[in-house]
Amino acid sequence: MNDARLRVRSLVAALILLALTSLTARAETGDGFLANLHSFRVSNYLALDAYYRFSANGDTDTLNEIVGGINMANTAMNDLAASTAGVLSEDEVEGLNQQFDIFKNLMRDNINDVRNTGYPDLRLVSDMANQAATISEMATELYQVALESSQISVNPRVEAARSAAITLAQMMAKYSARTHSTVAQTFQGSSSEKPLDQQALEFDTLLGEINKGASEGQLKSALDDVASKWQFIRGSYINYNDNNVSFVIDRYSKGILQGLSTTIELLQENA
């Protein structure tokens, strides 16, 4: 049963990363730059989410999820650095890259701790979670700068879907920290992020914004699927308790992320 669950996790994670890859493989435009920044933010939190599970089970498939998330973030970062869209300065992109290097080094050290000792160094784990928050905040600020400077036509529903994806990715990592970490339940990953229940309510609001406007065919199906999956796990994020089945929360959350990626693609195609 555990092997089957791990295979499902790996498959869903691979589908999410594939969806993120398709979002970044766009023309060299301001919107392509924004797509790369979005992919960068989500991928790092997917890697962090996988790390918390790895710290508890040491499983190879889960380790591969970490590697997949980091590799996807690397790809997005490299595309940002090589961009000729002129959206951000070289110094701005390099600053983000340097902070990303710190995160990757912390991730490597934390993985090695689990491999060598069988358990995580909680101080290093906390440093890594806070570094994930740091690069997410930097990327978010740069995203806003890029949004303003690129002078592209922005679809509010696309922006709401991207915000929903990063919010849920953060929630996944925080939920995994509380479920799999050996430290007290008050530990939630980064010390600077909002509580899970507050983020869940923000996600509600963002879903409402995504649904403003006409939705037919594949778009309606994708949004209905996202809403259905969210209703199934919403209560677990708002009222966390030890009886929740973390595998189910993880799988449905990844399904929502995949659905949001599909939603973004369809909204952009129909623009």
Side-chain angles (χ1 to χ4, degrees):
M1 179 64 72
N2 287 337
D3 288 344
R5 288 179 174 179
L6 289 168
R7 282 195 294 272
V8 171
R9 280 177 175 167
S10 296
L11 177 59
V12 174
L15 289 172
I16 293 171
L17 293 174
L18 179 62
L20 287 171
T21 302
S22 69
L23 288 176
T24 60
R26 298 172 61 84
E28 183 57 47
T29 62
D31 189 52
F33 197 93
L34 294 176
N36 279 312
L37 274 170
H38 170 67
S39 177
F40 177 79
R41 291 185 294 173
V42 173
S43 298
N44 283 317
Y45 275 106
L46 286 175
L48 189 62
D49 164 61
Y51 169 78
Y52 287 123
R53 287 183 280 112
F54 174 75
S55 70
N57 62 34
D59 179 75
T60 300
D61 285 342
T62 310
L63 177 60
N64 289 338
E65 286 188 48
I66 301 174
V67 174
I70 293 295
N71 285 344
M72 189 64 236
N74 260 324
T75 298
M77 190 70 248
N78 290 337
D79 288 344
L80 290 171
S83 174
T84 59
V87 178
L88 296 174
S89 70
E90 289 184 10
D91 287 343
E92 287 172 320
V93 175
E94 179 56 27
L96 180 62
N97 194 25
Q98 288 175 359
Q99 293 301 314
F100 180 43
D101 284 341
I102 294 174
F103 175 69
K104 287 187 291 185
N105 289 336
L106 286 166
M107 179 66 80
R108 182 193 63 238
D109 291 344
N110 276 290
I111 289 172
N112 287 338
D113 273 339
V114 174
R115 279 174 155 177
N116 295 333
T117 68
Y119 54 87
D121 179 325
L122 297 181
R123 180 187 61 79
L124 277 179
V125 173
S126 181
D127 287 346
M128 179 174 63
N130 284 315
Q131 185 63 20
T134 295
I135 57 177
S136 178
E137 290 165 5
M138 284 186 67
T140 300
E141 291 173 3
L142 293 178
Y143 188 95
Q144 292 303 315
V145 172
L147 197 60
E148 295 168 4
S149 65
S150 60
Q151 297 182 342
I152 61 172
S153 177
V154 176
N155 185 331
R157 298 173 76 187
V158 170
E159 292 308 305
R162 285 174 174 167
S163 295
I166 186 60
T167 298
L168 185 60
Q170 290 172 343
M171 291 166 63
M172 288 173 63
K174 190 174 298 181
Y175 191 94
S176 285
R178 296 184 64 172
T179 302
H180 299 290
S181 177
T182 56
V183 78
Q185 288 298 313
T186 53
F187 179 71
Q188 297 186 26
S190 167
S191 60
S192 64
E193 290 177 358
K194 297 175 183 177
L196 274 172
D197 56 349
Q198 186 176 339
Q199 287 187 303
L201 296 177
E202 289 181 358
F203 191 84
D204 284 339
T205 300
L206 290 167
L207 282 188
E209 294 177 6
I210 299 169
N211 280 286
K212 289 180 180 177
S215 300
E216 299 177 350
Q218 288 180 304
L219 179 58
K220 184 179 186 303
S221 296
L223 289 172
D224 287 348
D225 185 60
V226 166
S228 176
K229 284 182 169 63
W230 173 241
Q231 286 305 311
F232 189 78
I233 62 174
R234 179 180 182 274
S236 296
Y237 277 121
I238 291 179
N239 301 304
Y240 176 84
N241 63 72
D242 291 336
N243 296 323
N244 291 325
V245 181
S246 60
F247 165 72
V248 174
I249 307 303
D250 187 74
R251 183 177 67 179
Y252 274 71
S253 296
K254 286 174 178 173
I256 292 171
L257 284 180
Q258 186 181 348
L260 289 171
S261 291
T262 300
T263 296
I264 292 169
E265 287 188 282
L266 292 171
L267 286 169
Q268 290 175 326
E269 288 175 1
N270 298 328

